[in-house]
Amino acid sequence: MNRPSYRVTELLGDGIGAELSEAVHRLAEALPVQLEFVPVDLRVENRRARGKALYDEAVATILETKVALKHPTATTEESPNAVLRRRLDLSVIHRPVYTIPGVPTNFRRELDLDIVRIATGGTYDDPGRMIGDDGAVSLRIVERRPVREAARYAFNLARKTSKRVTSASKYTIQKATDGLFEKVAQEVAGQFPEVPHSVELFDALLGKVIMAPEKFQIVLVLNEYGDFLSDMACGLAGSLGIGASSNLAFDASAVVRVALFDAAHGTAPDIAGKHLANPTAIFLAFSMLLYQLGEIGLGQAVKNATLDLLREGVRTPDLGGGESTESFTEAVAKEVARRVGEKAGPPPAA
Ligand code: NAD
């Protein structure tokens, strides 16, 4: 039987990027699909040598394959993430954050949040300027289109997963900007009458997520609020190092046009080349990529095998375990192959 085949852009990174790339390739070998990784070398030396031409190549390759897996890159003269986000119009970031039983955390409650964040605007597009010596201003920008795209994505996700959506902002104070955000969220909510939707003030939301995390499922927020909420939620889940995101661009009919998946952590230069890198986040990013390709069963197998092994204590040293990058990867790859094989049933008799 022919195995389904897919092309995926792989953006190679710095530090532990090389080890993570090897780990993903090993895991991909365990899957009953053909994945052709098309590499684009975003390591810092190549960025310095090739400049804009390299980003042109990255953008063209991603537009062609439509899906990309990005390894962490050192932020030097520029942030490759920011450049790609701008050039590919990646307007929405989806970051699932959940507690993993067995992974040490200071927080004793269970958390399971899907944070859907508008990736542009807010206070992050304008670094601001001094007014004389003693004051400074910056513009806060909220635009209807990315808010609508993020809201549609959040409500579609809620529809598919039978979850509820909370939009959160400071609309009582930031009347124009956050008011526009909530207005667009309400308009989109009107197109999804079966999805429960509530509105919270963002500061209150932070307290409530800590006190009653079970009340929140999908949270829709503007850029900087999403930034704050993601790190707080990851801290609560004890998993700053194991978070992953999808970065999405949409066409006019709200269909995902380009999706770039990455780990939340950086290049970890202190442990690069030492076989200590934890590939969990890149595996979870890879799992989201498989969902995007429509390979839902495989995406689930990668996610669940990784989380189940962590739960059973198969962990790298950053999570208190004794596995190397390679032995952890091997364990996940074998477990994924076992689960996928079981689903496919026994091989036909010769
Ligand atoms: P970092 O995430 O690289 O490292 C912080 C700490 O976490 C280090 O002790 C590191 O060893 C550990 N760590 C991170 N990932 C790990 C993993 N997979 N397994 C085990 N331990 C891990 O953050 P930093 O030191 O602030 O940044 C280093 C570089 O990474 C900087 O140049 C920064 O700009 C860049 N960065 C890139 C991205 C990205 O490309 N998405 C994100 C964040 C930071």
Side-chain angles (χ1 to χ4, degrees), residues 60-73:
T61 312
I62 296 169
L63 286 176
E64 194 231 315
T65 61
K66 300 191 169 36
V67 284
L69 186 69
K70 181 181 173 294
H71 296 294
T73 43

Side-chain angles (χ1 to χ4, degrees), residues 16 70 72-75 81 263-271 276-278 318:
I16 57 172
K70 181 181 173 294
T73 43
T75 305
N81 294 340
H265 61 72
T267 61
D270 50 335
I271 58 163
L276 296 172
N278 181 356
D318 55 305

Side-chain angles (χ1 to χ4, degrees), residues 48-239:
R48 284 190 178 135
R50 296 196 48 210
K52 182 175 172 293
L54 177 61
Y55 284 109
D56 291 344
E57 179 192 330
V59 167
T61 312
I62 296 169
L63 286 176
E64 194 231 315
T65 61
K66 300 191 169 36
V67 284
L69 186 69
K70 181 181 173 294
H71 296 294
T73 43
T75 305
T76 48
E77 290 83 355
E78 82 289 349
S79 156
N81 294 340
V83 174
L84 291 173
R85 213 174 272 166
R86 195 167 49 245
R87 291 209 38 191
L88 291 162
D89 194 17
L90 299 166
S91 61
V92 176
I93 301 173
H94 173 197
R95 163 84 61 88
V97 185
Y98 38 82
T99 34
I100 301 171
V103 169
T105 161
N106 293 333
F107 188 56
R108 280 166 303 171
R109 304 287 290 275
E110 288 223 352
L111 182 84
D112 188 358
L113 280 187
D114 283 282
I115 300 170
V116 178
R117 161 185 170 192
I118 287 106
T120 57
T123 45
Y124 290 177
D125 281 355
D126 179 15
R129 62 208 62 85
M130 294 301 294
I131 307 281
D133 288 335
D134 299 321
V137 290
S138 69
L139 281 179
R140 186 141 182 284
I141 304 155
V142 173
E143 293 173 288
R144 195 180 276 277
R145 180 180 62 88
V147 176
R148 194 189 300 120
E149 289 173 342
R152 281 181 177 168
Y153 179 81
F155 279 90
N156 264 318
L157 181 65
R159 178 180 271 165
K160 275 191 272 179
T161 54
S162 305
K163 290 185 175 176
R164 45 184 185 276
V165 176
T166 306
S167 52
S169 67
K170 294 287 287 179
Y171 64 93
T172 48
I173 296 173
Q174 302 288 332
K175 288 193 166 60
T177 48
D178 293 22
L180 176 61
F181 162 80
E182 292 295 358
K183 186 167 179 280
V184 175
Q186 286 291 355
E187 283 165 13
V188 174
Q191 296 156 19
F192 294 80
E194 77 282 21
V195 174
H197 172 225
S198 57
V199 179
E200 293 281 353
L201 289 169
F202 184 72
D203 47 346
L205 176 88
L206 292 179
K208 288 183 186 180
V209 165
I210 293 170
M211 289 185 297
E214 69 285 352
K215 291 200 171 133
F216 301 95
Q217 295 181 327
I218 298 172
V219 182
L220 174 69
V221 271
L222 287 165
N223 200 359
E224 61 273 62
Y225 302 144
D227 200 11
F228 309 153
L229 179 62
S230 296
D231 276 21
M232 187 194 84
C234 283
L236 291 175
S239 59

